[in-house]
mmCIF file of all heavy atoms in Angstrom:
data_model
loop_
_atom_site.group_PDB
_atom_site.id
_atom_site.type_symbol
_atom_site.label_atom_id
_atom_site.label_comp_id
_atom_site.label_asym_id
_atom_site.label_seq_id
_atom_site.Cartn_x
_atom_site.Cartn_y
_atom_site.Cartn_z
ATOM 1 N N CYS R 1 0.866 -1.179 0.000
ATOM 2 C CA CYS R 1 0.000 0.000 0.000
ATOM 3 C C CYS R 1 0.902 1.227 0.000
ATOM 4 O O CYS R 1 1.643 1.450 0.964
ATOM 5 C CB CYS R 1 -0.918 0.003 1.214
ATOM 6 S SG CYS R 1 -1.907 1.515 1.397
ATOM 7 N N VAL R 2 0.836 1.989 -1.085
ATOM 8 C CA VAL R 2 1.639 3.199 -1.207
ATOM 9 C C VAL R 2 0.777 4.415 -0.869
ATOM 10 O O VAL R 2 -0.339 4.555 -1.380
ATOM 11 C CB VAL R 2 2.218 3.349 -2.626
ATOM 12 C CG1 VAL R 2 3.040 4.621 -2.731
ATOM 13 C CG2 VAL R 2 3.059 2.126 -2.981
ATOM 14 N N VAL R 3 1.302 5.271 -0.014
ATOM 15 C CA VAL R 3 0.589 6.473 0.435
ATOM 16 C C VAL R 3 1.228 7.709 -0.173
ATOM 17 O O VAL R 3 2.446 7.865 -0.135
ATOM 18 C CB VAL R 3 0.614 6.580 1.966
ATOM 19 C CG1 VAL R 3 -0.133 7.837 2.431
ATOM 20 C CG2 VAL R 3 -0.003 5.335 2.600
ATOM 21 N N SER R 4 0.406 8.570 -0.730
ATOM 22 C CA SER R 4 0.898 9.847 -1.248
ATOM 23 C C SER R 4 0.083 10.984 -0.636
ATOM 24 O O SER R 4 -1.056 10.798 -0.222
ATOM 25 C CB SER R 4 0.790 9.889 -2.771
ATOM 26 O OG SER R 4 -0.562 9.750 -3.184
ATOM 27 N N GLY R 5 0.703 12.153 -0.570
ATOM 28 C CA GLY R 5 -0.003 13.326 -0.099
ATOM 29 C C GLY R 5 -0.060 13.490 1.392
ATOM 30 O O GLY R 5 -0.833 14.291 1.911
ATOM 31 N N SER R 6 0.755 12.726 2.131
ATOM 32 C CA SER R 6 0.722 12.829 3.588
ATOM 33 C C SER R 6 2.107 12.527 4.144
ATOM 34 O O SER R 6 2.925 11.896 3.488
ATOM 35 C CB SER R 6 -0.295 11.845 4.159
ATOM 36 O OG SER R 6 -0.252 11.832 5.572
ATOM 37 N N ILE R 7 2.342 12.993 5.364
ATOM 38 C CA ILE R 7 3.561 12.614 6.071
ATOM 39 C C ILE R 7 3.334 11.213 6.611
ATOM 40 O O ILE R 7 2.691 11.034 7.634
ATOM 41 C CB ILE R 7 3.877 13.602 7.198
ATOM 42 C CG1 ILE R 7 3.969 15.022 6.653
ATOM 43 C CG2 ILE R 7 5.164 13.200 7.902
ATOM 44 C CD1 ILE R 7 4.110 16.074 7.738
ATOM 45 N N PHE R 8 3.862 10.244 5.933
ATOM 46 C CA PHE R 8 3.522 8.842 6.191
ATOM 47 C C PHE R 8 4.019 8.362 7.547
ATOM 48 O O PHE R 8 3.317 7.670 8.273
ATOM 49 C CB PHE R 8 4.117 7.999 5.068
ATOM 50 C CG PHE R 8 3.981 6.522 5.237
ATOM 51 C CD1 PHE R 8 2.789 5.888 4.967
ATOM 52 C CD2 PHE R 8 5.058 5.748 5.652
ATOM 53 C CE1 PHE R 8 2.655 4.513 5.114
ATOM 54 C CE2 PHE R 8 4.936 4.376 5.801
ATOM 55 C CZ PHE R 8 3.739 3.758 5.525
ATOM 56 N N SER R 9 5.247 8.719 7.911
ATOM 57 C CA SER R 9 5.925 8.061 9.025
ATOM 58 C C SER R 9 5.282 8.299 10.384
ATOM 59 O O SER R 9 5.492 7.515 11.303
ATOM 60 C CB SER R 9 7.387 8.514 9.079
ATOM 61 O OG SER R 9 7.448 9.910 9.306
ATOM 62 N N ILE R 10 4.475 9.346 10.518
ATOM 63 C CA ILE R 10 3.943 9.677 11.849
ATOM 64 C C ILE R 10 2.624 9.001 12.144
ATOM 65 O O ILE R 10 2.104 9.120 13.255
ATOM 66 C CB ILE R 10 3.787 11.206 12.015
ATOM 67 C CG1 ILE R 10 2.713 11.753 11.054
ATOM 68 C CG2 ILE R 10 5.106 11.904 11.805
ATOM 69 C CD1 ILE R 10 2.432 13.228 11.281
ATOM 70 N N TYR R 11 2.061 8.285 11.156
ATOM 71 C CA TYR R 11 0.740 7.717 11.340
ATOM 72 C C TYR R 11 0.766 6.203 11.474
ATOM 73 O O TYR R 11 1.636 5.533 10.928
ATOM 74 C CB TYR R 11 -0.165 8.089 10.160
ATOM 75 C CG TYR R 11 -0.413 9.566 10.034
ATOM 76 C CD1 TYR R 11 -0.025 10.268 8.902
ATOM 77 C CD2 TYR R 11 -1.018 10.270 11.071
ATOM 78 C CE1 TYR R 11 -0.235 11.624 8.791
ATOM 79 C CE2 TYR R 11 -1.231 11.632 10.968
ATOM 80 C CZ TYR R 11 -0.840 12.308 9.827
ATOM 81 O OH TYR R 11 -1.060 13.650 9.727
ATOM 82 N N ALA R 12 -0.241 5.709 12.198
ATOM 83 C CA ALA R 12 -0.466 4.268 12.224
ATOM 84 C C ALA R 12 -1.090 3.845 10.898
ATOM 85 O O ALA R 12 -1.878 4.585 10.296
ATOM 86 C CB ALA R 12 -1.392 3.896 13.374
ATOM 87 N N MET R 13 -0.710 2.660 10.462
ATOM 88 C CA MET R 13 -1.258 2.092 9.223
ATOM 89 C C MET R 13 -1.853 0.728 9.541
ATOM 90 O O MET R 13 -1.317 -0.021 10.367
ATOM 91 C CB MET R 13 -0.166 1.930 8.176
ATOM 92 C CG MET R 13 0.442 3.228 7.700
ATOM 93 S SD MET R 13 -0.738 4.273 6.806
ATOM 94 C CE MET R 13 -1.242 3.195 5.476
ATOM 95 N N GLY R 14 -2.953 0.418 8.870
ATOM 96 C CA GLY R 14 -3.599 -0.861 9.118
ATOM 97 C C GLY R 14 -4.041 -1.539 7.847
ATOM 98 O O GLY R 14 -4.223 -0.897 6.805
ATOM 99 N N TRP R 15 -4.139 -2.852 7.947
ATOM 100 C CA TRP R 15 -4.760 -3.655 6.896
ATOM 101 C C TRP R 15 -6.072 -4.215 7.441
ATOM 102 O O TRP R 15 -6.111 -4.739 8.571
ATOM 103 C CB TRP R 15 -3.851 -4.794 6.468
ATOM 104 C CG TRP R 15 -2.713 -4.378 5.593
ATOM 105 C CD1 TRP R 15 -1.429 -4.146 5.984
ATOM 106 C CD2 TRP R 15 -2.757 -4.146 4.187
ATOM 107 N NE1 TRP R 15 -0.674 -3.767 4.906
ATOM 108 C CE2 TRP R 15 -1.463 -3.767 3.783
ATOM 109 C CE3 TRP R 15 -3.757 -4.215 3.217
ATOM 110 C CZ2 TRP R 15 -1.149 -3.456 2.457
ATOM 111 C CZ3 TRP R 15 -3.453 -3.910 1.906
ATOM 112 C CH2 TRP R 15 -2.154 -3.539 1.535
ATOM 113 N N TYR R 16 -7.110 -4.116 6.651
ATOM 114 C CA TYR R 16 -8.428 -4.638 6.985
ATOM 115 C C TYR R 16 -8.902 -5.508 5.825
ATOM 116 O O TYR R 16 -8.357 -5.421 4.721
ATOM 117 C CB TYR R 16 -9.427 -3.493 7.207
ATOM 118 C CG TYR R 16 -9.123 -2.642 8.407
ATOM 119 C CD1 TYR R 16 -8.045 -1.767 8.423
ATOM 120 C CD2 TYR R 16 -9.921 -2.712 9.553
ATOM 121 C CE1 TYR R 16 -7.760 -0.992 9.539
ATOM 122 C CE2 TYR R 16 -9.653 -1.940 10.671
ATOM 123 C CZ TYR R 16 -8.571 -1.077 10.648
ATOM 124 O OH TYR R 16 -8.305 -0.316 11.758
ATOM 125 N N ARG R 17 -9.902 -6.314 6.067
ATOM 126 C CA ARG R 17 -10.454 -7.121 4.985
ATOM 127 C C ARG R 17 -11.964 -7.251 5.142
ATOM 128 O O ARG R 17 -12.500 -7.163 6.250
ATOM 129 C CB ARG R 17 -9.808 -8.504 4.941
ATOM 130 C CG ARG R 17 -10.104 -9.388 6.140
ATOM 131 C CD ARG R 17 -9.281 -10.674 6.054
ATOM 132 N NE ARG R 17 -9.549 -11.566 7.175
ATOM 133 C CZ ARG R 17 -8.857 -12.683 7.414
ATOM 134 N NH1 ARG R 17 -7.846 -13.027 6.603
ATOM 135 N NH2 ARG R 17 -9.171 -13.453 8.449
ATOM 136 N N GLN R 18 -12.607 -7.468 4.002
ATOM 137 C CA GLN R 18 -14.055 -7.643 3.998
ATOM 138 C C GLN R 18 -14.410 -8.773 3.043
ATOM 139 O O GLN R 18 -14.146 -8.682 1.838
ATOM 140 C CB GLN R 18 -14.761 -6.356 3.593
ATOM 141 C CG GLN R 18 -16.269 -6.424 3.741
ATOM 142 C CD GLN R 18 -16.924 -5.057 3.654
ATOM 143 O OE1 GLN R 18 -16.337 -4.102 3.171
ATOM 144 N NE2 GLN R 18 -18.152 -4.967 4.153
ATOM 145 N N ALA R 19 -14.981 -9.827 3.599
ATOM 146 C CA ALA R 19 -15.447 -10.953 2.803
ATOM 147 C C ALA R 19 -16.908 -10.720 2.411
ATOM 148 O O ALA R 19 -17.619 -9.960 3.079
ATOM 149 C CB ALA R 19 -15.311 -12.245 3.602
ATOM 150 N N PRO R 20 -17.376 -11.372 1.350
ATOM 151 C CA PRO R 20 -18.768 -11.185 0.915
ATOM 152 C C PRO R 20 -19.752 -11.490 2.041
ATOM 153 O O PRO R 20 -19.648 -12.533 2.701
ATOM 154 C CB PRO R 20 -18.907 -12.185 -0.229
ATOM 155 C CG PRO R 20 -17.528 -12.341 -0.757
ATOM 156 C CD PRO R 20 -16.630 -12.246 0.445
ATOM 157 N N GLY R 21 -20.671 -10.571 2.272
ATOM 158 C CA GLY R 21 -21.687 -10.764 3.289
ATOM 159 C C GLY R 21 -21.228 -10.554 4.708
ATOM 160 O O GLY R 21 -21.994 -10.783 5.654
ATOM 161 N N LYS R 22 -19.978 -10.117 4.881
ATOM 162 C CA LYS R 22 -19.443 -9.908 6.229
ATOM 163 C C LYS R 22 -18.998 -8.468 6.406
ATOM 164 O O LYS R 22 -18.796 -7.740 5.444
ATOM 165 C CB LYS R 22 -18.277 -10.858 6.493
ATOM 166 C CG LYS R 22 -18.665 -12.321 6.506
ATOM 167 C CD LYS R 22 -17.494 -13.184 6.952
ATOM 168 C CE LYS R 22 -17.896 -14.645 7.056
ATOM 169 N NZ LYS R 22 -16.758 -15.502 7.532
ATOM 170 N N GLU R 23 -18.839 -8.077 7.666
ATOM 171 C CA GLU R 23 -18.356 -6.740 7.967
ATOM 172 C C GLU R 23 -16.845 -6.658 7.772
ATOM 173 O O GLU R 23 -16.137 -7.660 7.864
ATOM 174 C CB GLU R 23 -18.721 -6.363 9.403
ATOM 175 C CG GLU R 23 -20.214 -6.215 9.631
ATOM 176 C CD GLU R 23 -20.523 -5.654 11.002
ATOM 177 O OE1 GLU R 23 -19.594 -5.482 11.804
ATOM 178 O OE2 GLU R 23 -21.715 -5.394 11.269
ATOM 179 N N ARG R 24 -16.383 -5.439 7.521
ATOM 180 C CA ARG R 24 -14.946 -5.227 7.417
ATOM 181 C C ARG R 24 -14.302 -5.470 8.782
ATOM 182 O O ARG R 24 -14.820 -5.029 9.811
ATOM 183 C CB ARG R 24 -14.660 -3.805 6.937
ATOM 184 C CG ARG R 24 -13.242 -3.551 6.520
ATOM 185 C CD ARG R 24 -13.091 -2.194 5.857
ATOM 186 N NE ARG R 24 -13.873 -2.087 4.636
ATOM 187 C CZ ARG R 24 -13.781 -1.057 3.787
ATOM 188 N NH1 ARG R 24 -12.940 -0.065 4.048
ATOM 189 N NH2 ARG R 24 -14.533 -1.027 2.702
ATOM 190 N N GLU R 25 -13.160 -6.163 8.780
ATOM 191 C CA GLU R 25 -12.500 -6.492 10.037
ATOM 192 C C GLU R 25 -11.021 -6.147 9.988
ATOM 193 O O GLU R 25 -10.392 -6.155 8.931
ATOM 194 C CB GLU R 25 -12.660 -7.995 10.345
ATOM 195 C CG GLU R 25 -12.013 -8.918 9.343
ATOM 196 C CD GLU R 25 -12.108 -10.395 9.733
ATOM 197 O OE1 GLU R 25 -12.727 -10.719 10.758
ATOM 198 O OE2 GLU R 25 -11.547 -11.230 8.988
ATOM 199 N N LEU R 26 -10.497 -5.879 11.177
ATOM 200 C CA LEU R 26 -9.076 -5.583 11.307
ATOM 201 C C LEU R 26 -8.254 -6.844 11.071
ATOM 202 O O LEU R 26 -8.571 -7.911 11.590
ATOM 203 C CB LEU R 26 -8.788 -5.043 12.701
ATOM 204 C CG LEU R 26 -7.318 -4.861 13.067
ATOM 205 C CD1 LEU R 26 -6.735 -3.688 12.316
ATOM 206 C CD2 LEU R 26 -7.151 -4.678 14.571
ATOM 207 N N VAL R 27 -7.179 -6.697 10.290
ATOM 208 C CA VAL R 27 -6.232 -7.787 10.095
ATOM 209 C C VAL R 27 -4.962 -7.522 10.884
ATOM 210 O O VAL R 27 -4.511 -8.367 11.665
ATOM 211 C CB VAL R 27 -5.898 -7.969 8.602
ATOM 212 C CG1 VAL R 27 -4.829 -9.042 8.419
ATOM 213 C CG2 VAL R 27 -7.150 -8.310 7.806
ATOM 214 N N ALA R 28 -4.371 -6.343 10.689
ATOM 215 C CA ALA R 28 -3.118 -6.006 11.359
ATOM 216 C C ALA R 28 -2.933 -4.499 11.360
ATOM 217 O O ALA R 28 -3.423 -3.810 10.464
ATOM 218 C CB ALA R 28 -1.933 -6.678 10.674
ATOM 219 N N VAL R 29 -2.232 -4.022 12.374
ATOM 220 C CA VAL R 29 -1.923 -2.602 12.509
ATOM 221 C C VAL R 29 -0.451 -2.454 12.842
ATOM 222 O O VAL R 29 0.093 -3.260 13.617
ATOM 223 C CB VAL R 29 -2.772 -1.942 13.613
ATOM 224 C CG1 VAL R 29 -2.288 -0.526 13.893
ATOM 225 C CG2 VAL R 29 -4.246 -1.927 13.227
ATOM 226 N N ILE R 30 0.187 -1.420 12.270
ATOM 227 C CA ILE R 30 1.555 -1.067 12.647
ATOM 228 C C ILE R 30 1.579 0.411 12.991
ATOM 229 O O ILE R 30 1.118 1.251 12.216
ATOM 230 C CB ILE R 30 2.568 -1.433 11.537
ATOM 231 C CG1 ILE R 30 3.991 -1.150 12.012
ATOM 232 C CG2 ILE R 30 2.258 -0.720 10.225
ATOM 233 C CD1 ILE R 30 5.064 -1.814 11.128
ATOM 234 N N ASN R 31 2.094 0.716 14.159
ATOM 235 C CA ASN R 31 2.142 2.098 14.622
ATOM 236 C C ASN R 31 3.398 2.806 14.139
ATOM 237 O O ASN R 31 4.280 2.185 13.534
ATOM 238 C CB ASN R 31 2.054 2.120 16.145
ATOM 239 C CG ASN R 31 0.722 1.596 16.641
ATOM 240 O OD1 ASN R 31 -0.341 2.059 16.230
ATOM 241 N ND2 ASN R 31 0.763 0.593 17.515
ATOM 242 N N SER R 32 3.483 4.091 14.427
ATOM 243 C CA SER R 32 4.641 4.866 13.990
ATOM 244 C C SER R 32 5.922 4.365 14.648
ATOM 245 O O SER R 32 7.005 4.513 14.076
ATOM 246 C CB SER R 32 4.436 6.352 14.281
ATOM 247 O OG SER R 32 4.214 6.558 15.662
ATOM 248 N N ASP R 33 5.808 3.766 15.831
ATOM 249 C CA ASP R 33 6.990 3.219 16.499
ATOM 250 C C ASP R 33 7.260 1.769 16.075
ATOM 251 O O ASP R 33 8.082 1.089 16.677
ATOM 252 C CB ASP R 33 6.840 3.299 18.025
ATOM 253 C CG ASP R 33 5.676 2.465 18.545
ATOM 254 O OD1 ASP R 33 4.974 1.827 17.735
ATOM 255 O OD2 ASP R 33 5.460 2.460 19.774
ATOM 256 N N ARG R 34 6.521 1.307 15.080
ATOM 257 C CA ARG R 34 6.633 -0.036 14.496
ATOM 258 C C ARG R 34 6.095 -1.147 15.405
ATOM 259 O O ARG R 34 6.298 -2.326 15.121
ATOM 260 C CB ARG R 34 8.052 -0.354 14.046
ATOM 261 C CG ARG R 34 8.570 0.595 12.981
ATOM 262 C CD ARG R 34 9.966 0.239 12.517
ATOM 263 N NE ARG R 34 10.501 1.260 11.615
ATOM 264 C CZ ARG R 34 10.315 1.278 10.302
ATOM 265 N NH1 ARG R 34 9.623 0.318 9.721
ATOM 266 N NH2 ARG R 34 10.815 2.245 9.564
ATOM 267 N N SER R 35 5.436 -0.812 16.484
ATOM 268 C CA SER R 35 4.741 -1.838 17.247
ATOM 269 C C SER R 35 3.572 -2.342 16.404
ATOM 270 O O SER R 35 3.019 -1.600 15.584
ATOM 271 C CB SER R 35 4.244 -1.294 18.581
ATOM 272 O OG SER R 35 3.358 -0.190 18.383
ATOM 273 N N THR R 36 3.207 -3.599 16.606
ATOM 274 C CA THR R 36 2.201 -4.223 15.754
ATOM 275 C C THR R 36 1.115 -4.923 16.573
ATOM 276 O O THR R 36 1.302 -5.259 17.742
ATOM 277 C CB THR R 36 2.847 -5.259 14.816
ATOM 278 O OG1 THR R 36 3.535 -6.245 15.597
ATOM 279 C CG2 THR R 36 3.818 -4.603 13.861
ATOM 280 N N ARG R 37 0.001 -5.143 15.923
ATOM 281 C CA ARG R 37 -1.117 -5.873 16.524
ATOM 282 C C ARG R 37 -1.803 -6.652 15.419
ATOM 283 O O ARG R 37 -1.942 -6.136 14.302
ATOM 284 C CB ARG R 37 -2.087 -4.879 17.176
ATOM 285 C CG ARG R 37 -3.316 -5.475 17.802
ATOM 286 C CD ARG R 37 -3.965 -4.452 18.743
ATOM 287 N NE ARG R 37 -4.239 -3.175 18.092
ATOM 288 C CZ ARG R 37 -5.418 -2.845 17.565
ATOM 289 N NH1 ARG R 37 -6.412 -3.701 17.587
ATOM 290 N NH2 ARG R 37 -5.594 -1.652 17.018
ATOM 291 N N TYR R 38 -2.215 -7.884 15.738
ATOM 292 C CA TYR R 38 -2.819 -8.757 14.732
ATOM 293 C C TYR R 38 -4.139 -9.336 15.212
ATOM 294 O O TYR R 38 -4.327 -9.568 16.420
ATOM 295 C CB TYR R 38 -1.885 -9.930 14.414
ATOM 296 C CG TYR R 38 -0.581 -9.531 13.773
ATOM 297 C CD1 TYR R 38 0.538 -9.264 14.545
ATOM 298 C CD2 TYR R 38 -0.474 -9.430 12.386
ATOM 299 C CE1 TYR R 38 1.734 -8.894 13.955
ATOM 300 C CE2 TYR R 38 0.717 -9.075 11.786
ATOM 301 C CZ TYR R 38 1.820 -8.805 12.583
ATOM 302 O OH TYR R 38 3.008 -8.449 11.996
ATOM 303 N N ALA R 39 -5.011 -9.618 14.261
ATOM 304 C CA ALA R 39 -6.195 -10.402 14.576
ATOM 305 C C ALA R 39 -5.762 -11.821 14.935
ATOM 306 O O ALA R 39 -4.781 -12.329 14.379
ATOM 307 C CB ALA R 39 -7.140 -10.434 13.376
ATOM 308 N N ASP R 40 -6.481 -12.436 15.860
ATOM 309 C CA ASP R 40 -6.117 -13.798 16.278
ATOM 310 C C ASP R 40 -6.090 -14.765 15.092
ATOM 311 O O ASP R 40 -5.271 -15.682 15.059
ATOM 312 C CB ASP R 40 -7.103 -14.302 17.333
ATOM 313 C CG ASP R 40 -6.923 -13.617 18.674
ATOM 314 O OD1 ASP R 40 -5.859 -13.004 18.895
ATOM 315 O OD2 ASP R 40 -7.845 -13.693 19.503
ATOM 316 N N SER R 41 -6.956 -14.541 14.129
ATOM 317 C CA SER R 41 -7.085 -15.475 13.008
ATOM 318 C C SER R 41 -5.874 -15.478 12.085
ATOM 319 O O SER R 41 -5.710 -16.408 11.289
ATOM 320 C CB SER R 41 -8.339 -15.147 12.193
ATOM 321 O OG SER R 41 -8.279 -13.819 11.706
ATOM 322 N N VAL R 42 -5.021 -14.451 12.177
ATOM 323 C CA VAL R 42 -3.866 -14.378 11.269
ATOM 324 C C VAL R 42 -2.533 -14.414 12.001
ATOM 325 O O VAL R 42 -1.479 -14.429 11.353
ATOM 326 C CB VAL R 42 -3.930 -13.114 10.375
ATOM 327 C CG1 VAL R 42 -5.264 -13.045 9.640
ATOM 328 C CG2 VAL R 42 -3.671 -11.854 11.173
ATOM 329 N N LYS R 43 -2.551 -14.436 13.319
ATOM 330 C CA LYS R 43 -1.305 -14.458 14.091
ATOM 331 C C LYS R 43 -0.456 -15.655 13.703
ATOM 332 O O LYS R 43 -0.955 -16.775 13.585
ATOM 333 C CB LYS R 43 -1.613 -14.500 15.584
ATOM 334 C CG LYS R 43 -1.991 -13.174 16.192
ATOM 335 C CD LYS R 43 -2.249 -13.302 17.691
ATOM 336 C CE LYS R 43 -2.670 -11.985 18.285
ATOM 337 N NZ LYS R 43 -3.025 -12.111 19.727
ATOM 338 N N GLY R 44 0.829 -15.401 13.492
ATOM 339 C CA GLY R 44 1.754 -16.460 13.120
ATOM 340 C C GLY R 44 1.789 -16.745 11.634
ATOM 341 O O GLY R 44 2.660 -17.476 11.157
ATOM 342 N N ARG R 45 0.849 -16.176 10.877
ATOM 343 C CA ARG R 45 0.823 -16.402 9.420
ATOM 344 C C ARG R 45 1.066 -15.109 8.634
ATOM 345 O O ARG R 45 1.669 -15.149 7.560
ATOM 346 C CB ARG R 45 -0.538 -16.977 9.001
ATOM 347 C CG ARG R 45 -0.881 -18.304 9.643
ATOM 348 C CD ARG R 45 -2.142 -18.912 9.039
ATOM 349 N NE ARG R 45 -3.323 -18.078 9.227
ATOM 350 C CZ ARG R 45 -4.089 -17.615 8.240
ATOM 351 N NH1 ARG R 45 -3.792 -17.898 6.985
ATOM 352 N NH2 ARG R 45 -5.152 -16.867 8.513
ATOM 353 N N PHE R 46 0.576 -13.990 9.144
ATOM 354 C CA PHE R 46 0.700 -12.696 8.461
ATOM 355 C C PHE R 46 1.702 -11.817 9.197
ATOM 356 O O PHE R 46 1.797 -11.867 10.426
ATOM 357 C CB PHE R 46 -0.640 -11.976 8.420
ATOM 358 C CG PHE R 46 -1.680 -12.592 7.525
ATOM 359 C CD1 PHE R 46 -1.534 -13.864 6.974
ATOM 360 C CD2 PHE R 46 -2.853 -11.898 7.251
ATOM 361 C CE1 PHE R 46 -2.499 -14.420 6.164
ATOM 362 C CE2 PHE R 46 -3.837 -12.437 6.435
ATOM 363 C CZ PHE R 46 -3.654 -13.702 5.894
#
């Protein structure tokens, strides 16, 4: 995911996903300090 038009490094970035008929859900987040958080369903794989 390439970001333009913003100071990228100071913001948290996240990946989300939406399957057909389901709500959008969090997959993973990385903060400006590079700390991360994952959904349980993808831990150890993503």
